Amino acid sequence: MFSVKLAEETILNLVQPFDPIYDRESINLVDAVGRILSIDLVSKLDFPHFTNSAMDGYAFHYADLEQFPALEIASVDIPAGASSPIPLAIGQCARILTGGILPDRADTVVMQEDITKIDRDHLKLEVVPAIGENVRPKGAFYRAGSLLLPAGTKIDPTSIGALAAAHYQQIEVYRRPRVAILSTGNELVDLYSQAELKLGQIIDSNQYSIASLVRQTGAIAIPMGIVPDRKSELAQAIKDSIDTADIVISSGGVSVGDYDYVETLLAEMGAEIHIRSVAIKPGKPLTVATWQQDLPAPKLYFGVPGNPVSAMVSFWRFIAGSIAKLSGANQSHWYPKFITATTTQDLHAQGKRETYLWGYLRWQSGQYTFQPVDNYSSGNLISLVGTNALAVLRVNQTYVPAGESVLILHL
Ligand code: AMP
Ligand code: MG
């Protein structure tokens, strides 16, 4: 049995990130949020493109202040968008608005709050700014040729704004990973089946929860449906999944029950099995296999337990990070986000396996608190609804009293 840490490392080592040449596409910037840059983006422009004012005020030549106790106000105003820099005579200043082009002779802007008008055409500075103050020189933020965003950046709204400002209409991103989702079990019925549920049957909920988790990572979920616990059908479904996807996730059939075929079947079909079980609760049975075809990169197979909560915990702990690595995202996206919080109630675990207890993470009176749910059955999906965190009790950690700090995986 693998420790959680070793399982995480083993899985990440199996993932070969997308190729920046073959696994990329060009998309419109407006569609890019959540996507991963496949190349370094270098600015084609200086930013600011031209020297301009950072304030509403008056532009002037700093050294003129020595000779001229009052500055003469030029007749032309400089609003943002005015296209040619105005000339400025010695001893003159010009009314300028934020974003306006600085006049050629000017080097400093005084805020409009800091002057008084002597008459219609003259003003006096009440507060003298430092030389260069309130001016945004051309290229001060970045220069043409400088790196804006490196490959592997996950595009967020701030990057969208920065790239729009840098005049990127289209960008090169990695393609989205394709993830096939299979549900195994004779008891499973499709959500949209018209027939009434018979005794012993349940709806295949994993198909939908896992597909949603996959989509949340930015990957494409490919629903492969339900496969009964029969070897020949399972073999065909696994083969079809491998053919269409980069990653396959099947749920169910990975325990040691009489109908749990996934692992033996994978081995018979020539897959290489790397992990069979992990010392984690919930989610102990976890099959991780690779599929070496005539491909540049092996395909990754995850067999997670059928219990709905276990399946989701396995995804959060092990699969989300592998999808991130495959997708070309930089290393900061390969691991879950951990913080610490104060538990509001006693937490218990058996101590043999690393235990994940779900609950509510809140910001209360200046600290994070964790409140566990009341019922920890790994079949009880409704207890997971609305939770946003998993408290982690390490191996041999059997008890965390209320008021103590606990490690939290933030969902
Ligand atoms: P298994 O891992 O196949 O032994 O299944 C463990 C438990 O999870 C059983 O109670 C199954 O009925 C249930 N289960 C398996 N697959 C699913 C699924 N796709 N949706 C909901 N429950 C499932
Ligand atoms: Mg089963």
Side-chain angles (χ1 to χ4, degrees):
M1 193 152 45
F2 280 61
S3 70
V4 171
K5 189 91 210 87
L6 183 61
E8 176 179 57
E9 269 171 40
T10 305
I11 292 167
L12 284 174
N13 283 334
L14 292 170
V15 179
Q16 196 176 313
F18 277 157
D19 186 284
I21 306 291
Y22 297 109
D23 296 310
R24 56 141 192 207
E25 56 190 343
S26 182
I27 60 168
N28 281 326
L29 183 65
V30 292
D31 299 321
V33 75
R35 302 297 298 270
I36 313 292
L37 277 184
S38 63
I39 49 167
D40 291 346
L41 288 189
V42 171
S43 179
K44 292 168 276 190
L45 302 166
D46 288 336
F47 205 94
H49 316 320
F50 49 90
T51 300
N52 68 84
S53 178
M55 289 285 173
D56 293 342
Y58 294 84
F60 65 99
H61 184 65
Y62 193 83
D64 288 358
L65 290 181
E66 276 179 29
Q67 280 174 284
F68 299 88
L71 297 170
E72 184 196 337
I73 304 170
S75 57
V76 194
D77 285 359
I78 316 167
S83 58
S84 53
I86 67 156
L88 209 58
I90 295 180
Q92 269 192 333
C93 65
R95 171 82 177 132
I96 192 164
L97 294 128
T98 306
I101 305 174
L102 209 71
D104 280 341
R105 256 193 102 246
D107 53 18
T108 307
V109 171
V110 57
M111 292 198 294
Q112 63 190 23
E113 294 87 338
D114 290 345
I115 60 112
T116 41
K117 288 259 183 95
I118 293 170
D119 55 41
R120 237 187 90 235
D121 302 325
H122 291 86
L123 60 77
K124 196 164 73 137
L125 274 58
E126 298 299 340
V127 180
V128 179
I131 183 167
E133 212 169 310
N134 304 321
V135 171
R136 301 187 285 215
K138 177 172 160 49
F141 299 164
Y142 53 82
R143 296 207 164 271
S146 60
L147 177 66
L148 283 183
L149 294 174
T153 299
K154 189 165 193 166
I155 301 292
D156 64 2
T158 60
S159 351
I160 296 268
L163 293 177
H167 213 162
Y168 275 96
Q169 297 170 331
Q170 232 117 49
I171 56 170
E172 297 285 314
V173 295
Y174 287 106
R175 70 181 176 88
R176 297 158 71 199
R178 296 168 57 83
V179 181
I181 299 152
L182 267 176
S183 299
T184 73
N186 290 336
E187 73 280 30
L188 301 178
V189 175
D190 187 87
L191 174 62
Y192 296 101
S193 153
Q194 294 305 311
E196 288 266 305
L197 282 185
K198 294 200 203 89
L199 198 61
Q201 292 186 324
I202 58 169
I203 299 291
D204 166 21
S205 62
N206 288 349
Q207 184 82 222
Y208 305 97
S209 52
I210 296 173
S212 315
L213 289 170
V214 165
R215 291 193 192 103
Q216 268 188 345
T217 68
I220 299 169
I222 307 167
M224 300 297 289
I226 299 167
V227 194
D229 296 312
R230 278 191 296 276
K231 269 195 170 179
S232 59
E233 280 160 80
L234 194 51
Q236 189 58 48
I238 290 175
K239 199 177 165 308
D240 292 345
S241 303
I242 295 289
D243 287 346
T244 59
D246 304 297
I247 290 182
V248 179
I249 304 172
S250 70
S251 66
V254 285
S255 320
V256 288
D258 292 343
Y259 297 89
D260 295 332
Y261 294 131
V262 171
E263 191 190 304
T264 43
L265 193 59
L266 282 167
E268 282 170 29
M269 292 171 73
E272 190 179 342
I273 314 265
H274 302 274
I275 296 176
R276 296 186 158 81
S277 67
V278 181
I280 185 171
K281 184 182 164 66
K284 180 172 85 165
L286 176 73
T287 300
V288 180
T290 45
W291 211 270
Q292 203 79 47
Q293 294 168 302
D294 295 329
L295 288 163
K299 305 224 173 169
L300 202 54
Y301 189 103
F302 291 97
V304 301
N307 265 319
V309 176
S310 315
M312 296 190 83
V313 171
S314 304
F315 187 95
W316 285 319
R317 189 63 190 85
F318 300 115
I319 304 181
S322 351
I323 295 176
K325 183 173 178 187
L326 176 71
S327 71
N330 67 45
Q331 206 161 343
S332 69
H333 299 281
W334 302 355
Y335 303 92
K337 306 266 178 288
F338 291 101
I339 59 164
T340 55
T342 305
T343 181
T344 61
Q345 285 170 40
D346 293 354
L347 302 176
H348 296 275
Q350 284 160 1
K352 295 209 179 68
R353 295 182 263 153
E354 190 165 300
T355 301
Y356 288 66
L357 304 171
W358 48 104
Y360 309 91
L361 181 71
R362 299 194 180 96
W363 180 253
Q364 273 174 330
S365 326
Q367 63 172 350
Y368 279 114
T369 62
F370 175 79
Q371 185 198 328
V373 301
D374 299 330
N375 176 325
Y376 282 115
S377 162
S378 57
N380 182 4
L381 248 187
I382 197 75
S383 73
L384 203 56
V385 175
T387 62
N388 61 349
L390 300 169
V392 186
L393 272 68
R394 305 272 199 208
V395 173
N396 293 331
Q397 197 181 7
T398 52
Y399 174 53
V400 181
E404 293 280 300
S405 158
V406 66
L407 185 67
I408 299 289
L409 190 163
H410 191 189
L411 301 173

